Amino acid sequence: MNHIYLFLLLFSFLTLFSYPQENVSEKILIKGSISDAGSFMELPYTMVVNKQSSIGIFADMNGKFTLTANKTDTIIISARGYSTKKICFNDSGSKAVYEVEIMMQKLSVTLKEVEIFSHRKIEEIESDISKMKEFRKNDHMVSGLNAVQSPL
């Protein structure tokens, strides 16, 4: 009879400690500084948002911030003209405070080439049109009106 009680006690003990602790979130403190990757200048008032809670703060005028979050949360850093950064500490070692330096990369945008023409008189435009291949005057007329000279 004592063996059964001992077995039940041991089974209860093992069951209690083998229960997965996934629902328990570890709170951490994140202290960070945000800078431009090219110039190493601080980026003031950069937005720092916890993706899971949707709570956000702004870095101070020196690009520094402090944020409390769960260790499993994803933190998004965003500044106008820079690529967005995401950080998560889920796979990091267990610490209560994490200090991070975030280097933001400037966005690079390539635009199509634009050709600018100087102001010309209508006679010059008509002369250029007449030099075009396969030009048909009726293509540029609406109901017998000259579409180029029409105020509409």
Side-chain angles (χ1 to χ4, degrees):
M1 185 80 162
N2 286 339
H3 294 298
I4 293 175
Y5 286 120
L6 183 61
F7 176 76
L8 288 174
L9 183 64
L10 182 60
F11 181 76
S12 313
F13 183 77
L14 290 174
T15 304
L16 179 66
F17 287 102
S18 65
Y19 183 78
Q21 300 292 319
E22 294 173 12
N23 295 333
V24 178
S25 293
E26 183 181 348
K27 290 283 186 187
I28 59 172
L29 181 67
I30 305 165
K31 294 181 178 182
S33 64
I34 306 167
S35 304
D36 179 291
S39 67
F40 301 105
M41 298 288 293
E42 299 92 9
L43 290 177
Y45 311 113
T46 302
M47 184 180 288
V48 181
V49 178
N50 183 325
K51 184 177 178 182
Q52 279 68 22
S53 69
S54 299
I55 295 174
I57 61 169
F58 288 98
D60 66 12
M61 62 186 284
N62 298 316
K64 302 214 181 298
F65 69 93
T66 302
L67 178 72
T68 302
N70 292 323
K71 189 172 180 193
T72 57
D73 290 349
T74 300
I75 308 302
I76 300 172
I77 297 94
S78 177
R80 181 178 290 177
Y82 291 86
S83 297
T84 303
K85 293 277 187 173
K86 293 180 183 181
I87 56 173
C88 185
F89 299 94
N90 197 27
D91 295 334
S92 301
S94 291
K95 295 192 318 188
V97 179
Y98 290 89
E99 294 186 23
V100 294
E101 281 188 36
I102 298 161
M103 304 303 280
M104 302 291 283
Q105 298 288 332
K106 284 190 177 181
L107 286 175
S108 176
V109 179
T110 304
L111 301 174
K112 292 181 182 178
E113 184 177 317
V114 177
E115 191 173 344
I116 300 173
F117 296 100
S118 63
H119 182 71
R120 299 188 305 165
K121 293 183 181 180
I122 191 71
E123 293 81 20
E124 294 172 312
I125 296 172
E126 287 176 346
S127 172
D128 289 343
I129 290 173
S130 66
K131 294 175 187 172
M132 292 172 43
K133 293 181 180 178
E134 299 182 22
F135 172 74
R136 295 186 314 216
K137 190 170 186 170
N138 290 340
D139 291 343
H140 301 281
M141 302 290 279
V142 179
S143 306
L145 297 174
N146 187 338
V148 176
Q149 292 179 343
S150 174
L152 302 176

